[in-house]
């Protein structure tokens, strides 16, 4: 080695040193943002002081009574504001779950219809998608609520209720639908159902295994379904029929009795959200199937798989993987859009908050809490999506 | 082709696409009936209803109830300005795209080209034309007709000027087109002195949408670069911003803008309600733009930045000359998509009580002569129609663009 | 160094040939990627107007070596001096070194949104502040040198791979660098295009450009290389003239490697 002399590294002056510049740049960014926040915070405190409202860190308002009730809930005006917020949170989650299920069914059907070889079916689906995708969801919701339900004569006046016997009865107070409810505690039978699903799933796995080993068709899905249904029915009988059906009907005086009553507000919000989001889900479904179908379908054909096998074994499993990230995005959108309820006075999380603020709760704290709750929901959705994505990921992709 | 040939052709098509087998035939009958019914309902609604309420309130729907008299010229001048600028831009684009085959450039000053220009314009903008015709027929306003014709003439002349600009002025034409709405807003606000609080109807939401896009775009780029930065502080701040605004519904943010922002500012600095809404739209959309732009940045091969570094270009030049032009170009369709979203989201100004189209639509039905007649279906339909037409047209354009960018050189 | 060193002396990586004077010097250079050491105590000098070819198996650190020379990678220990400027955290030094070194990549890395001429003139105009007309004159001259003056107004995607790589050479040359670094410039090319690029590089070598070339084109090495450096596992294993490598490489590892590529 010739370079025996220990190499010394030159030290540049500070203002030309990359590392120093990086640190300084970041510190400057922090200082600017910090100063902005500090300025806003001090304004907040000044304003709060001069207006004589609770300090921005004071959340005691949550313990005070709501002073009003919430339509369709058994919350008493004497209960705390925190309880009211909890009712709102549950409702937001509830409408999100119901909405997501309905949206998925409608959207996937429409997406497949878009690809139908029947021109009329495909055209119908395309018109649907173009119609709803390009209309603001608020317009859809308000149109259904004000334009159809409240002022449009779509729902008859009280005393003139209309019905589809045993399925649905409606007047301007709400839409009652056929509903299953439990006579007693629901848990025993729910446990039976969970068990039935687990066993049914096990049967599917087992029949699949046999099919692979012996090469003979063993109808795994069908057998699983039969086992599940058998267990569900036997369990229901064994528990002595723990459920009862409540069918809506129109009484003599023209009023609705029985069934599960959805208020017009809830129905309009749910229908609007589902109609709007389904148009996006349809597009995602179509695009995912098309993205996979090209090439893969040919390859599967070349292997001699039937059309049904190609769809089930090759196209759909891959399309699902393509679809999951954008789908989860749409589900999250639907959840966030449930806040549109404020426009039609359906009381969920956002509406509870704005009502609280209207009744004297401190605006800053109330909305901070609301934003935080939505962030939690978003975070949970992201975690679930990542988990599913990880489970489904194809190794090496 | 003989008539017989056409018939068998049509017959084959019908068999192939409507009656392949029994299941197909049933579907055809069911969906045919459904479509026929819906079309009938839609037509009888549009043609059969008495649109008097919307006829009387047309001006309110378009610009809000507070703008009247000579002030009405403010939005008209704005539209003219934008029409002319868009014309110039289309002309310049046409010229630059056909630089090597000048014969293919459509020149509005040559009558031989008129048919094709008209054909293309209508093919692309028919929903807008349908709306304008509907409005003009409904109101029977001669002034409206003249204003429309003047706007078309300006776009036409603008295009003629555009094809005569020197090559390479597309950039300037694009800049002019982007500036036109800004100038229009300034004319309306300051030239005519119309207070922000007096803006209403579609003028208000168009302003909020355009301003939101224009302002959020630079912020979005900035955040996207921050998110990709190797410096942990820049990255952390950007991620926190983006995830916050993407995690909270716009409705909640608008309520915060309406009810809480005031608490954060000294009294003298609190902007008017429409401006606060625009600020919220900007902050919100920037987070989404940031994600779009990040996608574009990720699509660039690493070698691009390295090659630029190896040439000795300083960091900010690398970003502005090499990275951003390519990244943004890759995500133009997504940018348009985000703009459509914002356009639809402007309807949320309803929630904070601004005079936007939906609120006006329900206000019309409370006017003495229309009260209690269930006319809100009509006014809401009209408001929804304008929202729909604008976003439908934009989304078609973005699909066109996507196809074009997909096949052209990258 | 007044007298030309004999072949035996050249087996030391720090003994140079060329027109006298050392232009690149690496002393005890280490480079880590996390825990993985990509360069281990690399000592090497390159003389002015010298052409050095670097060979070695995949992953041996060839790219890392030349990317450290223009600071696309930061070295972790040791000294790298280019034309009297030592690379450190000093942005001024980094800027100067990058200005004086041109680099050609395996994947060309042309800017697809700029025309060929704009690709070539971008850096002179932005970095050297050369006026546009002057930059374009120079740019066309560089394109002339790599024999594709007629492609100036096309976009990169409209050219063949060989043409693109020659544009990349012209682009680097337009900065009038003192040193040119090539990282496997022909390995992404179809066989029929390799020669046109090698021709341009040979021409460049004849003009007296200092070049470090990572390549497995041993024909090229034999024709223009003053020295060949064989690397393995981040270390310089053997150095010598191309002739030395063809006739009697001393290390077993070198022999094994050469038997695989020749
Ligand atoms: N950015 C990086 N992060 C982590 N490891 C890296 C990075 N770049 C290179 N390496 C590792 O350093 C080692 C040397 O890489 P280098 O690219 O210099 O090899 P090479 O000799 O050029 O190989 P090839 O002939 O394949 O181009 C390799 O093992 C590689 O995996
Ligand atoms: Mg390499």
């Amino acid at each position: 080695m010739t370079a025996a002399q220990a190499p010394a590294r030159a030290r540049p002056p500070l203002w030309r040193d990359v590392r120093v510049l990086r640190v300084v740049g970041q510190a400057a960014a922090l200082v600017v943002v910090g100063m902005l926040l500090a300025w806003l915070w001090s304004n907040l405190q000044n304003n709060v002081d001069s207006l004589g409202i609770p300090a921005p860190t004071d959340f005691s308002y949550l313990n005070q009574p709501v002073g009003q009730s919430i339509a369709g809930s058994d919350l008493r005006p004497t209960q705390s504001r925190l309880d009211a917020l909890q009712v709102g949170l549950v409702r937001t989650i509830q409408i999100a779950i119901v909405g997501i299920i309905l949206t998925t069914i409608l959207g996937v059907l429409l997406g497949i219809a878009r690809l139908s070889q029947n021109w009329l079916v495909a055209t119908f689906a395309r018109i649907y998608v173009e119609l709803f995708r390009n209309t603001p969801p608020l317009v859809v919701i308000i149109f259904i609520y004000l334009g159809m339900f409240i002022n449009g004569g779509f729902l008859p006046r009280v005393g003139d209720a209309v019905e589809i016997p045993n399925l649905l009865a409606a007047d301007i107070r709400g839409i009652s639908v056929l509903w299953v409810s439990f006579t007693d505690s629901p848990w025993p039978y729910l446990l039976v159902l969970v068990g039935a699903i687990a066993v049914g799933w096990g049967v599917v796995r087992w029949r699949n295994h046999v099919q692979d080993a012996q090469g003979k068709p063993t109808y795994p899905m069908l057998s699983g379904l039969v086992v599940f249904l058998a267990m569900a029915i036997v369990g229901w009988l064994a528990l002595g029929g723990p459920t009862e059906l409540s069918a809506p009907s129109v009484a003599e005086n023209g009023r609705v009795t029985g069934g599960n009553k959805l208020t017009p507000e809830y129905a309009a919000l749910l229908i609007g959200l589902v109609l709007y989001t389904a148009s996006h889900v349809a597009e995602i479904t179509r695009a995912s199937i098309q993205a996979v179908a090209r090439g893969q379908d040919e390859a599967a054909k070349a292997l001699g798989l039937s059309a049904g096998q190609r769809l089930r074994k090759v196209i759909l499993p891959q399309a699902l993987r393509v679809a999951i990230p954008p789908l989860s995005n749409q589900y999250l959108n639907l959840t966030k859009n449930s806040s549109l309820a404020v426009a039609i006075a359906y009381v969920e999380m956002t509406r509870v908050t704005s009502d609280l603020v209207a009744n004297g709760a401190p605006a800053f704290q109330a909305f901070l809490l609301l934003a935080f709750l939505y962030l939690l929901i978003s975070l949970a959705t992201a975690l679930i999506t990542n988990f599913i994505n990880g489970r489904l990921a194809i190794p090496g992709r | 082709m003989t008539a017989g040939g056409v018939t068998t052709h049509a017959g084959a098509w019908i068999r192939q696409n409507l009656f392949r087998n029994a299941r197909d035939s049933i579907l055809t009958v069911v969906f045919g009936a459904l479509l026929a019914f819906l079309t009938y309902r839609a037509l009888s609604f549009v043609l059969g209803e008495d649109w008097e309420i919307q006829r009387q309130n047309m001006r309110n729907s378009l610009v809000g109830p507070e703008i009247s008299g000579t002030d009405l010229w403010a939005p008209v001048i704005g539209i003219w300005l934008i029409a002319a600028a868009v014309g110039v831009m289309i002309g310049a684009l046409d010229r630059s795209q056909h630089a090597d085959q000048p014969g293919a450039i459509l020149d509005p000053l040559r009558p031989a080209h008129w048919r094709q220009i008209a054909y293309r314009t209508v093919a692309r903008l028919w929903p807008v034309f349908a709306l304008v015709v509907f409005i003009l027929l409904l109101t029977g306003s001669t002034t409206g007709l003249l204003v429309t014709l003047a706007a078309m003439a300006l776009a036409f002349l603008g295009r003629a000027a555009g094809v005569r600009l020197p090559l390479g002025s597309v950039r300037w034409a694009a800049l002019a087109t982007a500036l036109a709405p800004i100038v229009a807003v300034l004319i309306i606000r300051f030239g005519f002195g119309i207070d922000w609080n007096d803006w209403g109807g579609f003028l208000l939401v168009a302003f909020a949408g355009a301003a939101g896009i224009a302002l959020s775009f630079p912020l979005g780029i900035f955040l996207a670069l921050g998110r990709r930065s190797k410096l942990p502080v820049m990255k952390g701040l950007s991620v926190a911003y983006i995830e916050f605004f993407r995690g909270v519904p716009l409705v909640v943010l608008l309520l915060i803008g309406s009810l809480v922002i005031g608490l954060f500012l000294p009294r003298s600095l609190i902007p008017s309600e429409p401006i606060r809404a625009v600020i919220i739209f900007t902050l919100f959309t920037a987070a989404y733009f940031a994600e779009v732009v990040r996608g574009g940045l990720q699509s660039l091969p690493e070698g691009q930045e390295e090659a630029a570094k190896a040439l000795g270009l300083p960091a900010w030049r690398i970003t502005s000359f090499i990275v951003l032009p390519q990244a943004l170009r890759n995500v133009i369709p997504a940018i348009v998509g985000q703009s459509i979203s914002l356009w639809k989201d402007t309807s949320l100004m309803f929630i904070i009580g601004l005079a936007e189209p939906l609120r006006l639509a329900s206000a019309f039905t409370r006017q003495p002569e229309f009260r209690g007649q269930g006319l809100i279906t009509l006014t809401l339909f009209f408001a929804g129609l304008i929202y729909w037409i604008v976003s439908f047209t934009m989304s078609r354009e973005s699909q066109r663009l996507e196809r074009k960018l997909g096949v052209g050189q990258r | 160094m007044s007298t030309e060193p004999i072949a035996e002396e050249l087996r030391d990586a720090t003994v140079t040939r060329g027109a006298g004077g050392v232009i690149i010097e690496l002393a005890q250079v280490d480079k880590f990627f996390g825990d993985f050491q990509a360069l281990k105590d690399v000592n090497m000098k390159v003389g002015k107007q010298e052409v050095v070819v670097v060979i070695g198996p995949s992953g041996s650190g060839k790219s890392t070596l030349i990317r450290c020379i223009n600071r696309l990678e930061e070295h972790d220990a040791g000294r790298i001096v280019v034309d009297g400027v030592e690379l450190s955290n000093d942005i001024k030094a980094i800027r100067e070194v990058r200005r004086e070194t041109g680099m050609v990549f395996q994947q060309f890395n042309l800017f697809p949104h700029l025309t060929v001429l704009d690709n070539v003139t971008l850096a002179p105009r932005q970095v050297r502040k050369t006026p546009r007309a002057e930059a374009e004159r120079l740019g066309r001259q560089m394109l002339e040198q790599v024999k594709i003056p007629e492609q100036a107004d096309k976009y990169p995607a409209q050219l063949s791979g060989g043409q693109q790589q020659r544009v990349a050479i012209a682009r680097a040359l337009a900065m009038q660098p003192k040193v040119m670094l090539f990282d496997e410039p022909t390995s992404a090319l179809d066989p029929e295009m390799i020669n046109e690029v090698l021709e341009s590089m040979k021409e460049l070598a004849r003009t007296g450009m200092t070049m470090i070339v990572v390549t497995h084109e041993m024909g090229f090495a034999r024709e223009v290389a003053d020295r060949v450096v064989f690397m393995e596992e981040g270390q310089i294993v053997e150095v010598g003239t191309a002739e030395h490598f063809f006739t009697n490489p001393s290390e077993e590892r070198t022999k094994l490697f050469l038997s695989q590529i020749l």
Side-chain angles (χ1 to χ4, degrees), chain C residues 62-64 106 183-184 214:
Chain C
K62 309 179 296 289
S63 300
T64 309
Q106 183 175 356
D183 192 358
E184 308 205 29
V214 176

Side-chain angles (χ1 to χ4, degrees), chain B residues 84-130:
Chain B
V86 169
V88 173
M89 158 109 153
I90 291 175
L93 259 182
D94 195 21
R95 168 145 159 74
S96 83
Q97 277 168 359
H98 299 110
D100 37 1
Q101 48 190 92
I105 300 172
L106 292 178
D107 182 356
L109 294 192
R110 287 176 52 191
H113 287 172
W114 286 356
R115 222 180 54 134
Q116 223 185 343
I117 292 179
Y119 174 77
R120 288 200 194 172
T121 314
V122 171
R124 289 170 65 169
L125 295 181
W126 64 263
V128 177
F129 285 118

Side-chain angles (χ1 to χ4, degrees), chain C residues 242-258:
Chain C
E243 215 44 50
H244 164 82
F245 275 81
F246 276 110
T247 51
N248 60 339
S250 50
E251 303 278 328
E252 270 318 302
R253 292 185 280 179
T254 320
K255 284 181 197 159
L256 184 66
F257 176 73
L258 286 173

Side-chain angles (χ1 to χ4, degrees), chain B residues 83-93 154-155 157-163 165 173 176-177:
Chain B
V86 169
V88 173
M89 158 109 153
I90 291 175
L93 259 182
L154 279 167
L157 292 176
R159 187 168 181 164
V163 297
L165 286 174
T177 313

